Amino acid sequence: MKNQNSVFKDYVSSLNEEDLRAIYDRLLYRFSGDLGEVINQIDKNKDIAKFFHSAKGPDEMYDILDSIFSFVEKEYKKRFELISR
């Protein structure tokens, strides 16, 4: 099994702009229902699903989401800051 960071980085880099923006906004602002929507969307990726399903509780789920957000944030800034220059 690939390591977690490699799986997250590959997944995030494969997102189209619309999905990247949606996940970024939901993980950044975390309004009611946002985390559930992100998990449902990301869980469709079988490699990431393994990490979610192996979480031993909500704290581990939040840790996974925080880790994914770090990659989402980097990719978001890379793509959209380059566009705005």
Side-chain angles (χ1 to χ4, degrees):
M1 184 161 98
K2 293 168 80 174
N3 84 20
Q4 183 172 311
N5 288 340
S6 156
V7 169
F8 294 165
K9 183 178 181 180
D10 290 347
Y11 174 75
V12 169
S13 66
S14 74
L15 291 171
N16 64 42
E17 290 182 0
E18 183 180 333
D19 290 339
L20 179 63
R21 283 181 201 259
I23 290 173
Y24 176 80
D25 287 342
R26 286 185 173 93
L27 289 176
L28 179 65
Y29 299 113
R30 298 186 181 203
F31 293 122
S32 176
D34 282 351
L35 296 182
E37 288 181 30
V38 168
I39 289 171
N40 285 335
Q41 180 176 355
I42 293 174
D43 195 51
K44 293 174 186 171
N45 178 288
K46 66 180 177 119
D47 293 325
I48 293 178
K50 292 176 187 176
F51 294 110
F52 280 140
H53 295 281
S54 69
K56 293 179 177 48
D59 288 339
E60 285 188 23
M61 291 292 286
Y62 285 115
D63 290 344
I64 291 169
L65 289 171
D66 289 341
S67 182
I68 291 171
F69 180 69
S70 69
F71 291 100
V72 169
E73 186 174 40
K74 287 176 191 169
E75 185 70 19
Y76 182 90
K77 287 179 179 180
K78 182 175 87 173
R79 288 192 201 178
F80 298 112
E81 286 182 4
L82 289 176
I83 291 171
S84 64
R85 289 183 185 177

